[in-house]
Amino acid sequence: MGAVGSKQHARVPKASKLSDVYDDNENSVATRYDTLVSAFKTQFEGEKPKTITRSPGRVNLIGEHIDYEGYSVLPMAIGLDVIVAVSVALKEEGNVEEDEAEATLSIANVDGEKYTPKEFPFDHEQEVDVKSHHWTNYVLCGFKGIFDQLKKQNKLESVLESAFMKRVKKVMVMVDGKVPLGSGLSSSSALNCAVTVALMDAFELSFTKGELSELTCLSERYSGTQSGGMDQAISIMGEKDLAKRIDFNPIGAMDVPLPTNLTFLIGNSCAVSKKAESAHKHYNLRVVECRLAAILMAKHYGEDIEKAKTRVTLREVADLYCNKGDLWTALGAVRKALNEGSYTKKQLENDEGLGDLRKIFDCENNEAFNVVLQKNDTFKLRDRARHVFSEARRVHEFQKICEGQSPRYAVSGPIYEHWCKVIGLVPDVGVASDDPTKDFGHPMYGMGKEDALAKLMHLSHESCKTQYECSCDELDELVDAFMSAGALGARLTGAGWGGCVVAVCESDIAEEILADVKKSFYEKRFQSGVANIADETNLLFKTAPSAGAAILHYDDEKGVIV
Ligand code: NG1
C-alpha cells in the first residue's frame, strides 16, 4: 500500500519506561500496574506474570460506519486503556498425571466482583457463546484470533506440534480496564488487542502491527458484531501526538497532524450502547442494509443478478462503476439506483429479484446475519448509502485540511457545474445547493481551517442522525450542550445509539466549555442518579492523541518498568 507514515510492517514496541506510553502521573500509573500484578499473584496462587501489555481505546474524529464499507476513517488513540498480565504454566516433563490433564485458559479481572472470572479449555476451536454475553468473550476472541492467523500463515500445525504448545498446562490472564464500557470509545477492541498482544508474546510468536490489526478485526467478529476494523487498527497502531487515517484492504495507518491550537473534548452521553446485545437492530442491521444497497447499485449498473449478489461493500461497487470511485458520482448514482424510504424483505426478494436473502448472507453459517434477517422486515438503503459516500468524502476533506489544504468541499452551484463539465458529466446527478437533506453541497471556500474541520464534524453528526439513524436523544442533547458552551463542532463518536460525543474547541477555552457542559448536561444527571459524580473525570474530559499498544517490561523485584 505504501502510504507515507504507514506503520503496518512494524512490531508492537517494547516500552522501556512508562513515559514512552503515558502522559499521566507516572506514580499513579505505576501503582495501577502493581495492583494488576498483585491481583495476578493472588488469583493464580503466587504465579508471576510473564508478559504485561496495554492497548488503548480510541476516539473517532470523523468517518463513522464506513470502515466496514472499505472507506478510510480518522481516529486517534486515547490515554484510557486496558492492561493485561499473562503467564503460561507448563506441564512438568514426565509427569503422567499432568500430561493427561486438560489444559485451561483462566481469565480474571482486577475488579472481580463486577467482572467475574471464568475458565475455558485451552482449545482454539471452541465457540464463543454469543447468546450469553460475558466480558471474557472478548478474551476468547483474542485467543482464537491468534490461531486463525497462524492457520492463515500455514504455521498452525507446526506451532501446535511445538514442544512449548504441547506442554501448556494453564494460561493465566488478568485484566484491568479503564476504557468506559458501551461508551463508543471501544473498550471491547482495547481488551481484545491487549489480550492478543499479550498472548502472542507469551506464546513466543511475533506478528506485525498490520497482521495484528487484521487478525483482531476478524477475531472480534466472534463476539457477534460484524466489526469494521477501525478500532483494532488504531488501538494497535496509534501514536502520541498524531491522529491517523486508517485504510483498509490492505490495512494501513497514515499520520494526520492535528492543528495545535485546537483541543478535543469527550463527553459521555450516559446512554449505554449495548453493542453485542442490540446488534441485530443496530450495528449488524446497518451492515446488512449497506450490503443490500451495494447489490442493488451493482444491478442498476447492469450487472447480472447472480454477480451483483456477490458484492459486499459499497466501495467495491463505486470503484467499479462510479468514475473510479468518485464519491460525488457515487452520491448521484444512489439517487438513481435506490428508492427513497424502506424496502420490505418481500420487495427485495421478489420485485428486485434477489431471491432468498438468507442465502446471500449465508445465514446457515452466519448467526449474526441470521438474527438480523429473522428480526427485521424493512431495510433502508438509500439513506444508508448516502451517509456512507458523503462521510467518506468528509474524511478526505478533514485530512486534507489538517495537512494544510484550503477548505473546499463545494460541489453545489457554479463550481459544481464547472467540475461536471471538466470531467464530462451531465450535471443532473442530484447534487443541489437546496438539497433539503443537506448531506453535501456545503461550500467552505474561504473558511478558516478550524471552522472548516468543525463544520465537517457537524455535518457528520447530522448525517449519522438523519441518514444513518445511529444517534439518540442523549447524544443530540450533549452535542447541543457542547455547541451552546462555545465548541466549534461536536458529533457522536463510535457506533452511536448511546456512548460518547467528541467536540472540538479553541484550546484556550477548553476548561470553560467543560465547566459549562458539566452544568448544563451532567448536573441534572448526577442529581437523578443517571450518572455518578465519582465518575466525573471519566465522563467529561480533554483528550489528545496517545500511544498505541505496547509490551511493558516486567521485573518482579523492581516493578513493571526498570
Ligand atoms: P464502537 O464504537 O467500538 O462500537 C463500532 C465498530 C467500528 C466502526 C464504528 C462505527 C467494532 C469493534 N467497532 O465501534 O469498527 O464501525 O462502530 O464507525 O465493532
Side-chain angles (χ1 to χ4, degrees):
M1 200 214 61
V4 181
S6 279
K7 304 277 163 50
Q8 68 269 33
H9 302 300
R11 309 275 151 175
V12 171
K14 301 211 174 198
S16 57
K17 47 189 187 320
L18 286 174
S19 59
D20 285 351
V21 179
Y22 295 98
D23 290 326
D24 330 10
N25 175 326
E26 282 188 29
N27 287 334
S28 69
V29 177
T31 308
R32 186 173 163 225
Y33 279 93
D34 289 343
T35 308
L36 177 81
V37 172
S38 58
F40 186 97
K41 290 180 181 166
T42 311
Q43 179 77 22
F44 301 115
E45 292 149 4
E47 291 279 350
K48 291 172 194 159
K50 176 177 176 192
T51 297
I52 294 188
T53 58
R54 58 87 62 173
S55 213
R58 62 97 185 95
V59 61
N60 190 21
L61 300 180
I62 197 154
E64 227 56 85
H65 287 282
I66 61 172
D67 54 350
Y68 49 83
E69 290 308 302
Y71 285 113
S72 306
V73 294
L74 213 151
M76 65 191 196
I78 58 173
L80 302 172
D81 63 4
V82 172
I83 62 177
V84 171
V86 166
S87 198
V88 184
L90 298 178
K91 292 174 179 169
E92 215 179 283
E93 266 175 297
N95 181 332
V96 183
E97 213 176 291
E98 284 202 344
D99 263 355
E100 283 171 4
E102 194 185 31
T104 55
L105 169 65
S106 185
I107 307 162
N109 196 298
V110 168
D111 185 353
E113 269 185 33
K114 198 161 169 195
Y115 304 104
T116 52
K118 211 164 169 179
E119 191 157 276
F120 297 89
F122 181 75
D123 169 14
H124 65 277
E125 284 175 343
Q126 70 191 292
E127 290 197 3
V128 178
D129 183 1
V130 288
K131 290 205 173 105
S132 70
H133 186 72
H134 192 260
W135 72 276
T136 51
N137 282 7
Y138 293 109
V139 178
L140 212 47
C141 289
F143 172 70
K144 283 170 71 67
I146 289 196
F147 295 92
D148 288 348
Q149 178 67 19
L150 289 170
K151 190 167 180 192
K152 199 162 144 194
Q153 298 177 329
N154 288 324
K155 291 183 187 158
L156 182 60
E157 294 305 315
S158 60
V159 171
L160 289 177
E161 287 305 312
S162 65
F164 174 80
M165 280 292 176
K166 287 191 129 178
R167 285 184 57 211
V168 170
K169 180 166 82 177
K170 182 173 186 169
V171 178
M172 294 155 279
V173 181
M174 177 59 69
V175 174
D176 177 47
K178 284 266 181 271
V179 189
L181 296 194
S183 63
L185 301 178
S186 225
S187 54
S188 57
S189 300
L191 173 56
N192 180 11
C193 291
V195 164
T196 304
V197 175
L199 292 177
M200 170 191 80
D201 194 66
F203 294 163
E204 296 165 5
L205 301 168
S206 177
F207 302 128
T208 64
K209 288 186 180 185
E211 287 164 349
L212 281 164
S213 303
E214 241 148 21
L215 88 87
T216 46
C217 165
L218 295 175
S219 72
E220 205 160 320
R221 293 188 184 160
Y222 289 124
S223 73
T225 48
Q226 292 295 305
S227 162
M230 152 170 70
D231 305 350
Q232 300 85 358
I234 190 68
S235 190
I236 298 284
M237 298 198 273
E239 273 181 87
K240 265 190 188 178
D241 303 325
L242 289 166
K244 297 272 176 174
R245 189 193 77 198
I246 303 288
D247 304 322
F248 305 97
N249 308 316
I251 207 116
M254 190 176 182
D255 300 348
V256 179
L258 296 170
T260 48
N261 56 333
L262 294 181
T263 292
F264 289 89
L265 310 170
I266 293 180
N268 192 321
S269 71
C270 305
V272 179
S273 126
K274 292 200 166 166
K275 198 162 75 182
E277 292 91 322
S278 63
H280 66 278
K281 57 180 164 101
H282 291 151
Y283 196 89
N284 291 347
L285 173 58
R286 294 295 179 273
V287 178
V288 165
E289 288 175 318
C290 287
R291 179 145 174 211
L292 289 168
I295 294 172
L296 289 198
M297 281 184 74
K299 185 182 152 213
H300 166 80
Y301 281 106
E303 250 183 23
D304 168 77
I305 194 76
E306 290 310 316
K307 178 80 193 154
K309 277 166 29 180
T310 65
R311 299 295 172 203
V312 177
T313 64
L314 285 162
R315 179 170 189 170
E316 201 183 328
V317 176
D319 284 354
L320 276 172
Y321 300 113
C322 301
N323 207 14
K324 296 199 181 108
D326 175 75
L327 291 162
W328 304 120
T329 311
L331 277 162
V334 164
R335 290 175 177 246
K336 293 183 180 163
L338 305 171
N339 295 343
E340 209 157 343
S342 303
Y343 290 79
T344 62
K345 208 181 274 169
K346 207 162 141 232
Q347 262 176 324
L348 290 163
E349 292 188 334
N350 302 339
D351 308 353
E352 297 294 338
L354 301 189
D356 189 356
L357 295 187
R358 293 169 37 81
K359 284 208 179 122
I360 299 181
F361 289 92
D362 190 20
C363 288
E364 297 241 318
N365 300 309
N366 189 319
E367 184 54 18
F369 288 147
N370 188 30
V371 180
V372 170
L373 292 182
Q374 262 172 17
K375 301 217 166 163
N376 298 282
D377 190 52
T378 53
F379 304 88
K380 270 195 192 172
L381 309 192
R382 189 199 260 206
D383 285 356
R384 310 305 184 225
R386 291 179 77 194
H387 166 78
V388 168
F389 291 132
S390 65
E391 185 77 350
R393 182 67 208 178
R394 284 186 283 271
V395 170
H396 176 77
E397 283 295 326
F398 196 97
Q399 182 197 353
K400 291 285 167 214
I401 294 170
C402 286
E403 285 171 350
Q405 182 177 294
S406 308
R408 305 176 296 153
Y409 198 67
V411 289
S412 52
I415 296 162
Y416 168 65
E417 265 144 43
H418 169 73
W419 173 83
C420 282
K421 259 190 223 144
V422 171
I423 65 160
L425 272 183
V426 183
D428 74 344
V429 292
V431 184
S433 52
D434 62 351
D435 180 342
T437 57
K438 292 195 173 69
D439 63 341
F440 48 92
H442 293 262
M444 300 202 301
Y445 283 93
M447 252 190 193
K449 183 184 210 172
E450 296 76 12
D451 286 336
L453 293 178
K455 174 101 181 168
L456 289 167
M457 287 173 69
H458 174 70
L459 291 173
S460 169
H461 184 74
E462 283 299 304
S463 182
C464 283
K465 179 177 163 179
T466 59
Q467 315 259 281
Y468 220 68
E469 296 177 282
C470 61
S471 189
C472 64
D473 291 347
E474 293 88 339
L475 283 168
D476 296 341
E477 186 190 333
L478 185 52
V479 164
D480 290 346
F482 272 116
M483 296 307 286
S484 310
L488 295 168
R491 59 179 293 278
L492 68 84
T493 183
W497 296 289
C500 284
V501 161
V502 57
V504 63
C505 68
E506 302 278 0
S507 299
D508 52 357
I509 60 162
E511 294 299 337
E512 260 169 65
I513 293 182
L514 292 178
D516 206 328
V517 172
K518 181 180 166 193
K519 226 189 246 161
S520 64
F521 187 85
Y522 291 99
E523 265 172 13
K524 57 186 177 216
R525 287 174 165 81
F526 292 146
Q527 274 159 23
S528 69
V530 168
N532 186 343
I533 195 151
D535 295 335
E536 192 184 331
T537 50
N538 277 338
L539 289 171
L540 182 65
F541 53 94
K542 287 197 273 190
T543 190
S546 303
I551 301 171
L552 291 101
H553 179 77
Y554 171 66
D555 180 296
D556 198 39
E557 298 280 295
K558 298 176 190 157
V560 170
I561 302 274
V562 289

